[in-house]
Amino acid sequence: MVTLSGRSVYKGIIIGPVAVLKKDGQQVKRTRITDVEAELSRLKMAGEQAQVQLQKLYGKAVKEAGEASAAIFEVYQMMLEDDDYLDAIHNMIQTELVNAEYAVAMTGDNFSEMFANMDDDYMKARAADVKDISNRLVRNLMGQEEVDLASMEPSIIVADDLSPSETVQMDKEKILAFVTVHGSTNSHAAILARMMNIPALIGVPVNLDEVNTGMQAVVDGFKGEVIFGPSEEICSEVEERIREEQEKMKLLQTLKGKENVTPSGQKINIYANIGSVSDVGDVLENDAGGIGLFRSEFLYLGRDDFPTEEEQFQAYRQVVQTMAGKKVIIRTLDIGADKQVDYFKLGKEDNPAMGYRAIRICLKQPGIFKVQLRALLRAAVYGNLSIMYPMIISVEEVRRIYEIVDEVKAELDEDQVPYKMPEQGIMIETPAAVMVSDELAELVDFFSIGTNDLTQYTLALDRQNEKLYDFYNPHHKAVLRMIKMAADNAHKCGKWIGICGELGADLELTEEFLRMGLDELSVVPSMVLRVRKAVREANI
Ligand code: PEP
Ligand code: MG
């Protein structure tokens, strides 16, 4: 029996057989070629085949994990056409007279190493992507079938790392858990695992040669542990815990339709966070009272040009119509920092988390902002829509936003386009916003606390940096006092305040948030009923 620890991406517990996924089976030999043109044309065909494969994967991912998660396959398609990447391969074939498989494999390694050595965590994560694309090209060149991940028996996948293509090809029904040696919580595999509600551990120091496909293992996402070859005693303990978890899940279902009210009669709204239109199904399925955060920037990611006003309008309209009168809070684009989009041409920054991002881009480039505002004001006609502005640090910013909104209204009037003026709130996610929250409260309709960023800026800890994991403590007194201060200032002004950062779903803090008088908690859809349970049992 071997017990190893890692970082849990999704909390759950499971026991089952292991499927080890090794990727080093691809032996690429260097051979000398004489016909350069023939080699280039083989490469071209392999690329075309890859485009078709990726298009299929995209379609599958959209259905299973939503458009935002699927967008990576569009990025892959673009990477396959990247001039630098293709030039490097062509050049190697032409000058070194080597076979295409070898040129692709070498270029893939070189590019991947280059990304891995970059400072930026997001770019580092791209190393796996370029490897994934190169492996696909090599497989196509060698005429190998893709590993059929869809046809295996339900298993715990143990791998070095998992690329998005591998994760999405897997049949959800057949995956019990993921355990990987590498990967950050920011990797696509981790994001997909969370979206798919699959228990997952990353950063587990497992030697793939020492575990075998078919052996039993336990993955405990609560403790962040995997046990290979568990004893009978452990197995029966774990089976009991699994039964308890299933029982809890069943009990949670009985909370659908019930109020979010404490035994002492205090009420709170429990809303859900979404990243795309396709997430609305989960919101309704989990009986959330509304949408507390629609991260609209996902409409801008994974594409090569700005979404048009019409595209945005259709997306927002669809969400508010489907929510049928329930509150839908749409956050204006929060591009920058970890969410980079080439066509914004933001350039490289030494300190992107503190850089040109979110509302700063909107205020500096009002042309981009106005397109989104027009779409939002138009969609507001169709339901209960509110707008929320991210990364605010001052009252001056809010005043400037209102001036731009007034210009948009005047333009819509002039164009005789129907619209409605929604409620406007701001995210409290910088210490500056907390410190001037008394003045901000007078200007806006509501506050929503972004605890992910508020924690990073209060504690001066980059939320993307894996090395700082042990220091990143959103329970830090300083963070909790900031939340309390913002809540008091909102209430003094008669405004409501909620939390839409991850901390809102932290059940250890539900009672404290109720004591602070927070009016709303917006959490991932799968946590709505759990938070409702915590509220209904809260001892206030
Ligand atoms: C936050 O910062 O807490 C938040 C909700 O926004 P995001 O995680 O998208 O930055
Ligand atoms: Mg934020």
Side-chain angles (χ1 to χ4, degrees):
M1 188 165 93
V2 180
T3 305
L4 298 171
S5 299
R7 282 170 59 193
S8 176
V9 170
Y10 179 82
K11 290 198 169 108
I13 180 159
I14 204 81
I15 186 164
V18 164
V20 184
L21 221 81
K22 285 190 194 164
K23 286 181 258 184
D24 50 2
Q26 228 171 42
Q27 289 285 345
V28 178
K29 288 206 187 85
R30 176 183 179 130
T31 49
R32 197 177 162 77
I33 53 134
T34 45
D35 189 346
V36 168
E37 282 316 308
E39 212 53 23
L40 292 179
S41 114
R42 281 182 65 228
L43 177 68
K44 188 163 175 271
M45 274 166 58
E48 284 164 4
Q49 194 184 347
Q51 291 285 6
V52 174
Q53 292 162 339
L54 289 168
Q55 191 56 40
K56 271 199 206 146
L57 287 177
Y58 174 80
K60 186 166 188 293
V62 168
K63 263 197 241 137
E64 290 180 0
E67 262 170 56
S69 304
I72 182 62
F73 296 109
E74 288 185 318
V75 177
Y76 274 23
Q77 286 176 297
M78 278 188 272
M79 279 169 109
L80 259 178
E81 285 170 0
D82 181 76
D83 284 342
D84 292 333
Y85 178 68
L86 286 178
D87 285 351
I89 301 173
H90 287 192
N91 191 42
M92 199 177 278
I93 295 175
Q94 283 159 337
T95 57
E96 297 182 34
L97 297 178
V98 290
N99 52 327
E101 289 86 335
Y102 182 79
V104 171
M106 289 306 287
T107 308
D109 284 351
N110 294 343
F111 273 63
S112 162
E113 204 176 311
M114 176 181 79
F115 282 122
N117 285 328
M118 288 184 177
D119 288 336
D120 184 315
D121 277 349
Y122 178 83
M123 295 311 284
K124 263 195 210 313
R126 303 287 74 73
D129 297 343
V130 75
K131 259 271 177 35
D132 196 20
I133 289 170
S134 305
N135 286 342
R136 178 175 298 283
L137 275 179
V138 170
R139 271 199 308 272
N140 291 348
L141 281 161
M142 291 172 130
Q144 288 174 349
E145 291 289 315
E146 279 195 75
V147 190
D148 191 4
L149 293 163
S151 63
M152 63 180 191
E153 67 163 327
S155 306
I156 295 165
I157 307 292
V158 180
D160 217 27
D161 198 358
L162 284 169
S163 67
S165 345
E166 285 163 335
T167 342
V168 83
Q169 277 178 76
M170 296 174 183
D171 183 344
K172 243 198 293 179
E173 310 279 301
K174 293 182 182 158
I175 310 281
L176 302 177
F178 288 139
V179 174
T180 63
V181 182
H182 299 292
S184 68
T185 41
N186 194 29
S187 67
H188 294 292
I191 293 166
L192 279 171
R194 240 179 266 125
M195 292 292 285
M196 291 174 165
N197 296 350
I198 298 168
L201 295 183
I202 56 170
V204 182
V206 50
N207 181 343
L208 296 191
D209 293 326
E210 284 173 11
V211 290
N212 300 319
T213 292
M215 77 190 289
Q216 286 288 107
V218 169
V219 180
D220 185 343
F222 296 96
K223 288 194 195 153
E225 255 179 25
V226 53
I227 307 171
F228 293 103
S231 64
E232 266 179 35
E233 197 188 335
I234 298 269
C235 285
S236 46
E237 262 174 41
V238 168
E239 269 154 17
E240 183 53 33
R241 278 184 60 203
I242 292 174
R243 264 194 298 280
E244 280 168 21
E245 281 304 312
Q246 284 167 345
E247 221 30 61
K248 277 189 204 158
M249 290 305 282
K250 254 197 242 149
L251 278 177
L252 278 181
Q253 299 306 309
T254 63
L255 291 179
K256 283 190 185 169
K258 300 248 166 80
E259 269 192 301
N260 309 309
V261 60
T262 64
S264 58
Q266 185 179 338
K267 290 189 185 164
I268 188 164
N269 287 316
I270 303 178
Y271 294 165
N273 296 346
I274 63 166
S276 77
V277 179
S278 60
D279 296 338
V280 178
D282 285 342
V283 175
L284 297 174
E285 173 63 31
N286 287 285
D287 197 31
I291 291 173
L293 168 65
F294 178 178
R295 290 182 161 98
S296 74
E297 60 274 11
F298 281 101
L299 294 176
Y300 293 73
L301 296 178
R303 46 187 296 148
D304 50 18
D305 205 355
F306 294 95
T308 62
E309 176 185 327
E310 197 54 30
E311 277 175 83
Q312 294 193 54
F313 163 68
Q314 293 296 348
Y316 305 146
R317 182 183 55 83
Q318 198 180 333
V319 173
V320 291
Q321 276 183 333
T322 315
M323 290 301 290
K326 290 187 176 138
K327 198 180 264 305
V328 176
I329 302 176
I330 303 182
R331 172 174 80 182
T332 56
L333 63 95
D334 188 4
I335 293 292
D338 55 320
K339 296 164 199 145
Q340 289 293 332
V341 185
D342 283 350
Y343 59 82
F344 271 74
K345 300 199 169 57
L346 298 179
K348 178 142 175 52
E349 291 179 289
D350 285 340
N351 212 342
M354 295 204 182
Y356 190 50
R357 63 173 286 199
I359 202 69
R360 299 168 184 181
I361 299 176
C362 291
L363 292 176
K364 280 279 186 194
Q365 292 171 263
I368 297 174
F369 193 26
K370 280 183 169 180
V371 173
Q372 180 166 40
L373 289 171
R374 280 178 71 103
L376 287 166
L377 264 58
R378 286 173 56 198
V381 173
Y382 296 85
N384 186 357
L385 186 153
S386 304
I387 306 184
M388 176 157 76
Y389 304 106
M391 282 295 291
I392 295 296
I393 58 167
S394 69
V395 288
E396 289 73 25
E397 282 175 344
V398 178
R399 292 214 176 93
R400 177 68 193 125
I401 290 169
Y402 287 174
E403 280 169 16
I404 298 174
V405 171
D406 282 343
E407 286 167 25
V408 167
K409 279 161 60 180
E411 286 161 20
L412 287 168
D413 283 333
E414 202 180 307
D415 298 343
Q416 297 190 334
V417 175
Y419 69 89
K420 202 173 138 200
M421 194 50 227
E423 279 195 348
Q424 296 175 92
I426 55 168
M427 291 201 60
I428 299 286
E429 51 184 346
T430 62
V434 175
M435 297 313 285
V436 294
S437 52
D438 51 344
E439 292 175 44
L440 287 167
E442 283 174 21
L443 279 180
V444 301
D445 296 311
F446 64 92
F447 285 162
S448 184
I449 306 176
T451 50
N452 310 337
D453 278 317
L454 186 59
T455 305
Q456 99 163 325
Y457 296 125
T458 303
L459 304 184
L461 288 166
D462 179 355
R463 63 191 257 198
Q464 301 283 109
N465 189 336
E466 256 192 286
K467 286 186 222 130
L468 301 177
Y469 180 67
D470 291 338
F471 298 92
Y472 189 90
N473 173 20
H475 287 208
H476 194 295
K477 246 187 252 167
V479 178
L480 298 177
R481 284 184 194 169
M482 292 252 176
I483 297 174
K484 170 90 168 62
M485 185 173 178
D488 290 346
N489 282 331
H491 290 147
K492 265 185 224 150
C493 233
K495 305 293 165 66
W496 71 264
I497 177 163
I499 293 183
C500 63
E502 298 295 307
L503 210 57
D506 189 327
L507 303 178
E508 282 175 34
L509 291 174
T510 311
E511 285 191 1
E512 188 147 355
F513 292 150
L514 285 161
R515 274 193 206 100
M516 288 181 188
L518 288 172
D519 304 280
E520 177 242 24
L521 297 172
S522 191
V523 299
V524 285
S526 59
M527 282 301 291
V528 168
L529 293 173
R530 288 180 222 218
V531 178
R532 175 170 299 163
K533 180 167 179 287
V535 168
R536 293 175 66 85
E537 290 168 0
N539 182 14
I540 305 294

